Amino acid sequence: MHLPADDLTLGVILLVVGLPAIIGLGYVIVRFQHWRHARAWKPLLATVQGRVQPIVGGGAESRMRGRYQGYDIVAGMTPKVSSDECNEFSVAIVGVAGASDWTVTGSSRSLRDLWPGAASPPLRVESSDEGLRARLEIEGVVSLAEQMGVTSDDPDPPVRYACSSQSLTIQCVLGNTWVPSEGEFIEMLDCLVHLARINNRVNSPLA
C-alpha cells in the first residue's frame, strides 16, 4: 500500500516537529522534579556537606551523598510510594566491613494485614549467625533503634546491615514531609555511627 504524497509529507513534518517537542517536555519535567528534590534536600546538605545526585530516567527516588564523622553517607527519599501516599526516607553509612548480614526487624506488616487490630510486635535482631545475633543483642542495638524512634511500623527491616555492599541503613516512613528535620536527621546519623562502631566490634570480617 502506498500513502499519498501529501499524507507522507504531513507525517514527516509531524515527526520532525513533534519528536523534539516530546523530548523537550520530558527534559523540562525531569529538571522540574530535580529542582523540587534539591529544594527538599537543602536543609540537610550542610550537615553532611552533601550533594544531590542527578535523577536517572525521571524516577521518583532522589539520593544525596555526603560525609559525617568520617563516614560516607547515602540518603534517599521516595515520595508517596505506598497506597497511603506515605513518604519513605533512608540513610546509610557505606564502607562498613562485616562478616555477616543482620537486621533489626519487627515484621509487623504481614501480621496486621491478617489482623488489622493486632499490636505492633517488638523489634528484634535477626541474623543467620546466631553468635552475632547474641552479641548484637548484648550490645543493645534494639534499644538504640527504639531510642531513635524506629518502630516495626517503619519499612521492614527498619535497620539493615548488608556485608555484600558494606552498608548500614536506617529507613523510615514520614508523614507529609519528604525528608526529616535537621535535628531528626542528625539523630539518625548519630545512631548509625553508634551502630557502625558496634558492628566493627562484634562483626569483624577477620573474626
Side-chain angles (χ1 to χ4, degrees):
M1 182 178 70
H2 297 284
L3 291 174
D6 290 345
D7 290 346
L8 183 59
T9 302
L10 178 61
V12 171
I13 292 174
L14 290 175
L15 180 63
V16 170
V17 174
L19 186 59
I22 293 172
I23 294 174
L25 178 61
Y27 175 79
V28 170
I29 291 173
V30 170
R31 293 294 298 173
F32 175 70
Q33 193 170 15
H34 180 72
W35 173 80
R36 292 184 70 198
H37 289 164
R39 186 178 64 171
W41 282 119
K42 189 174 181 180
L44 307 184
L45 294 180
T47 302
V48 293
Q49 295 82 51
R51 61 191 184 281
V52 181
Q53 293 186 293
I55 299 171
V56 178
E61 183 181 14
S62 176
R63 294 197 173 196
M64 182 260 289
R65 290 182 176 270
R67 285 183 66 81
Y68 186 78
Q69 294 189 16
Y71 290 96
D72 290 326
I73 299 297
V74 179
M77 63 172 169
T78 309
K80 298 183 179 181
V81 295
S82 72
S83 58
D84 296 328
E85 294 195 338
C86 294
N87 302 314
E88 286 191 3
F89 181 84
S90 66
V91 58
I93 287 178
V94 295
V96 181
S100 301
D101 294 347
W102 58 270
T103 63
V104 175
T105 181
S107 300
S108 65
R109 288 189 171 183
S110 59
L111 177 65
R112 290 204 303 277
D113 285 343
L114 295 173
W115 296 285
S120 301
L123 296 173
R124 65 185 183 277
V125 180
E126 287 190 352
S127 176
S128 60
D129 183 336
E130 284 299 314
L132 172 62
R133 183 189 61 77
R135 293 192 297 273
L136 289 167
E137 287 182 345
I138 292 172
E139 291 282 350
V141 296
V142 170
S143 295
L144 276 173
E146 289 175 339
Q147 289 170 16
M148 200 201 65
V150 170
T151 71
S152 53
D153 293 324
D154 289 314
D156 192 54
V159 179
R160 179 182 68 254
Y161 173 73
C163 60
S164 60
S165 59
Q166 296 190 337
S167 61
L168 181 59
T169 306
I170 292 176
Q171 52 185 356
C172 62
V173 173
L174 302 177
N176 296 324
T177 61
W178 285 11
V179 299
S181 68
E182 183 181 5
E184 291 168 337
F185 186 50
I186 290 173
E187 286 182 7
M188 295 176 77
L189 292 170
D190 287 340
C191 183
L192 275 175
V193 169
H194 199 160
L195 291 172
R197 290 169 179 167
I198 291 174
N199 182 81
N200 291 341
R201 287 198 301 269
V202 304
N203 192 29
S204 170
L206 301 178

